[in-house]
Amino acid sequence: MSDFTSSFWSTYVAVITIGGIIACLLLLWISGTAKAMTAADNTTGHVWDGDLREMNNPLPRWWVGLFLLTIVFSVVYLYLYPGLGSYQGAWKWSQADQFEKEVAKGNLRSAPIYAAFAGMSTEELAKDQNAMAIGDRLFMNNCAQCHGSDARGSKGFPNLTDGVWNWGGTPDQIHETVAKGRTGIMTPMAASLGSADDVRNVANYALSLSNSPHDPTRASLGKEKFAVCAACHGADGKGNKALGSPDLTAGVFTHGPGVESHVVAMINNGKTGVMPAWEAKFTPEQLKVLTAYVWGLGGGVAAAAPAAVAAPAAPAAEDAASVVVDNGVVKFYFATGKADIATGADQALAEVLAGVQAGKKVVVSGFVDSTGDAAQNEELAKQRAFAVRDQLKALGVAEDLIELKKPENIDAGMDAGARRVEVSLV
């Protein structure tokens, strides 16, 4: 009943239920007290087939007793259990609570089985026959409805055996996908691309990246316009796992065939795909085994080796533009007296774009060095910040999500590291 904002339906159900019980009592009372017109032989005068006559006899006492017991049982039941609209019952019983208790009992009984896998890595679990047998049952009961019993998916549901992972195929990435779920969004891009011909051209260029059937002429015309799509798919079309944007060079089209009409429809209409989160249903141990099973289907990617400690990013050469990412902050370095952005900006801003999609805002701050005229330096800092802002807008970030902020200390030294713009999320 919580889906309703009014108590009408709750009251309606309660009234109908109580009214039904009262009606049964009235029926018993009326049948036991009403007098029918009868003849001297206690018949009503109704005769069928010449010899079958209707008698005016009362209901058998055993039948009346059972009827009354049924009514008493109904009243007691409706007091103890939910049945009168939103009334929860004196015992507060619910199907959800009963289900959770049964699941908890099952998990408690199976805990010793999973304890044997506690110290094993994903790779080790994938080689363990017992673990994989359990993983197969978990997959068949919960995942096969969408991904198929062979895990090869279907239209709209990814193939888990082909090695193509929009969100990454390492054990940790698969575990996060299963536990937390994923939401992949392809926004409608027709308005950003221009005419219907532009959309077709870009669609053919996208198909050409994987050598899928395409029109080479249209593909060449769509290459320039593809820059609008590069914000998510990358300039090379290889996608971005932080955003879940597909690798267009793989030739895998989950939501339909790799043909022009399908890609055009995707560009025009967009698509939202949802992978539900499962951590509320599975125990951590079950999630670990299920992750190993999915990883071991053949498409999983080996876990990355521990990264070496990176040396601090060196500032740009004295008169060359560059861009680096330092602890989540994107730093654009500029040549002396210029506001030209270095190449590689799209890739460097990938995390920023992911943050914007998650609801965050972008702060852009422009610094300058302390040499030369202070007023000119301040104006140059603004122009550099404007250039970065325009780059963000070109990548699809709305202007109202970009805040231009003057640094607290605009005098940042005299070297190339001072001639920069910092982009961060708030």
Side-chain angles (χ1 to χ4, degrees), residues 250-268:
V252 175
F253 298 84
T254 302
H255 293 281
V259 296
E260 179 186 323
S261 59
H262 165 65
V263 179
V264 166
M266 288 288 288
I267 294 173
N268 285 330

Side-chain angles (χ1 to χ4, degrees), residues 96-319:
D97 184 58
Q98 184 70 25
F99 170 77
E100 290 172 0
K101 289 179 179 178
E102 294 294 332
V103 170
K105 289 180 182 178
N107 290 338
L108 187 62
R109 287 195 298 267
S110 62
I113 299 174
Y114 289 97
F117 310 135
M120 301 174 67
S121 67
T122 299
E123 292 85 348
E124 291 170 335
L125 284 171
K127 297 176 182 177
D128 188 288
Q129 292 184 351
N130 292 331
M132 289 303 92
I134 295 173
D136 178 69
R137 289 302 92 200
L138 291 172
F139 184 88
M140 290 298 178
N141 291 335
N142 300 277
C143 312
Q145 293 85 342
C146 294
H147 294 285
S149 59
D150 58 359
R152 295 185 179 277
S154 61
K155 184 177 180 181
F157 303 102
N159 181 349
L160 304 180
T161 68
D162 61 3
V164 178
W165 302 84
N166 291 350
W167 300 92
T170 66
D172 287 344
Q173 290 166 329
I174 294 175
H175 185 277
E176 184 176 359
T177 297
V178 176
K180 304 294 185 182
R182 301 288 192 183
T183 299
I185 302 175
M186 163 68 184
T187 55
M189 298 298 294
S192 301
L193 292 175
S195 66
D197 265 352
D198 289 326
V199 171
R200 289 189 64 190
N201 293 341
V202 170
N204 276 276
Y205 178 72
L207 289 167
S208 73
L209 293 173
S210 61
N211 203 28
S212 297
H214 65 280
D215 183 331
T217 302
R218 284 192 175 277
S220 63
L221 295 173
K223 183 176 182 179
E224 183 177 354
K225 285 281 186 178
F226 184 79
V228 177
C229 311
C232 293
H233 294 285
D236 55 3
K238 290 186 177 295
N240 185 332
K241 288 179 172 53
L243 303 176
S245 53
D247 179 356
L248 301 179
T249 67
V252 175
F253 298 84
T254 302
H255 293 281
V259 296
E260 179 186 323
S261 59
H262 165 65
V263 179
V264 166
M266 288 288 288
I267 294 173
N268 285 330
N269 305 320
K271 180 71 71 173
T272 298
V274 178
M275 160 72 184
W278 291 90
E279 64 179 348
K281 179 171 183 179
F282 295 127
T283 65
E285 295 77 17
Q286 289 171 331
L287 282 173
K288 183 177 180 180
V289 171
L290 182 57
T291 296
Y293 177 80
V294 173
W295 182 86
L297 288 171
V301 179
V309 178
E318 193 65 24
D319 272 316

Side-chain angles (χ1 to χ4, degrees), residues 146 158 186 263 272 334 338 341 390 415:
C146 294
M186 163 68 184
V263 179
T272 298
F334 296 84
K338 296 183 179 180
I341 293 179
D390 293 341
D415 58 7

Side-chain angles (χ1 to χ4, degrees), residues 12-75:
Y12 174 83
V13 170
V15 168
I16 291 296
T17 304
I18 295 173
I21 294 174
I22 293 174
C24 290
L25 285 169
L26 285 173
L27 177 62
L28 281 178
W29 181 75
I30 292 173
S31 65
T33 58
K35 299 293 185 181
M37 296 296 293
T38 59
D41 60 353
N42 197 36
T43 61
T44 62
H46 297 158
V47 181
W48 293 271
D49 296 333
D51 294 319
L52 186 60
R53 300 173 184 273
E54 181 182 12
M55 305 298 290
N56 185 28
N57 293 327
L59 293 171
R61 289 184 180 276
W62 66 266
W63 191 94
V64 174
L66 288 176
F67 212 112
L68 289 172
L69 283 175
T70 301
I71 292 173
V72 171
F73 174 83
S74 301
V75 172

